[in-house]
């Protein structure tokens, strides 16, 4: 007889009772943290770079205007190929006045004082178009204008 007996050891099964709780917790986390994009950008633009940049603090009173070249899906082209986009549609400089006025009427009086228009323009956009947009914003009495840019990497 041998001194040692060979025993067959079984590994206990994995308890998966708490797995659905874990999955729903992770799903709930991503639903809370994820930011859904409200506007489908139809123009492509390369954000210019700058050195003296600051972040906008109150994002509820910000209206975005996109200026750039149409994507491959878009067929119609204006002068120099540059398009102005507000929300999900292309606009002319005359439509900017109506849009900004409607946004101001929609806002509360406190937000109306803090309303900022953020221009996200392609780095190769001619200044004439940006000047036309600024003139339209001036007519709509939107005088707080910012330009979106990324930080320039130091060499």
């Amino acid at each position: 007889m041998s001194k040692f007996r060979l025993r067959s050891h079984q590994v206990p099964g994995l308890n998966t009772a708490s797995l659905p709780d874990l999955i729903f917790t992770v799903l709930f986390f991503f639903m809370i943290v994820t930011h859904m994009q409200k506007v489908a950008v139809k123009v492509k633009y390369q954000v210019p770079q700058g050195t003296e940049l600051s972040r906008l603090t109150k994002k509820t009173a910000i209206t975005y205007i996109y200026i750039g070249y149409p994507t491959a899906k878009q067929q119609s082209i204006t002068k120099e190929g540059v398009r102005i986009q507000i929300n999900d549609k292309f606009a002319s400089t005359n439509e900017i006045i109506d849009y900004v006025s409607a946004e101001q009427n929609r806002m509360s009086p406190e937000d109306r004082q803090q309303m900022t228009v953020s221009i996200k323009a392609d780095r190769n956009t001619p200044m004439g178009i940006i000047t036309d947009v600024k003139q339209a914003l001036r007519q709509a009495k939107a005088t707080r204008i910012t330009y979106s840019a990324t930080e320039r990497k130091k060499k």
Side-chain angles (χ1 to χ4, degrees):
M1 287 209 352
S2 70
K3 252 182 171 180
F4 302 105
R5 290 188 216 164
L6 293 174
R7 293 186 195 174
S8 61
H9 294 285
Q10 289 185 340
V11 177
L14 182 62
N15 185 6
T16 59
S18 64
L19 192 59
D21 294 336
L22 179 66
I23 290 172
F24 284 120
T25 303
V26 171
L27 178 66
F28 183 71
F29 171 76
F30 284 118
M31 285 174 51
I32 296 296
V33 173
T34 303
H35 173 69
M36 300 300 286
Q37 187 175 4
K38 294 179 182 177
V39 176
V41 180
K42 296 179 182 178
V43 294
K44 56 184 174 184
Y45 61 94
Q46 292 180 342
V47 181
Q49 296 179 345
T51 55
E52 302 297 323
L53 304 177
S54 63
R55 292 206 176 267
L56 295 174
T57 55
K58 190 171 184 182
K59 296 202 177 213
T60 58
I62 297 177
T63 302
Y64 294 98
I65 296 177
Y66 300 94
I67 304 173
Y69 296 93
T71 58
K73 295 179 184 177
Q74 306 301 323
Q75 298 296 327
S76 57
I77 297 177
T78 59
K79 61 179 179 179
E80 296 158 311
V82 177
R83 298 297 308 259
I84 300 169
Q85 179 186 344
I86 301 173
N87 282 343
D88 285 331
K89 65 179 184 118
F90 292 120
S92 65
T93 53
N94 296 330
E95 294 171 346
I96 292 174
I97 300 168
D98 298 332
Y99 174 75
V100 171
S101 299
E103 284 290 311
Q104 287 174 341
N105 292 336
R106 183 186 58 83
M107 292 180 177
S108 66
E110 297 84 26
D111 285 345
R112 196 175 300 146
Q113 295 292 329
Q114 298 297 321
M115 181 182 178
T116 303
V117 177
S118 178
I119 297 176
K120 293 188 173 190
D122 185 69
R123 66 173 62 184
N124 298 321
T125 301
M127 272 312 284
I129 294 175
I130 293 178
T131 304
D132 293 343
V133 170
K134 286 173 52 178
Q135 292 296 331
L137 291 172
R138 185 177 296 160
Q139 290 176 3
K141 300 202 180 6
T143 55
R144 298 182 83 180
I145 301 172
T146 63
Y147 300 97
S148 296
T150 57
E151 186 76 32
R152 180 179 293 162
K153 295 180 181 176
K154 297 179 181 176
K155 295 180 180 180

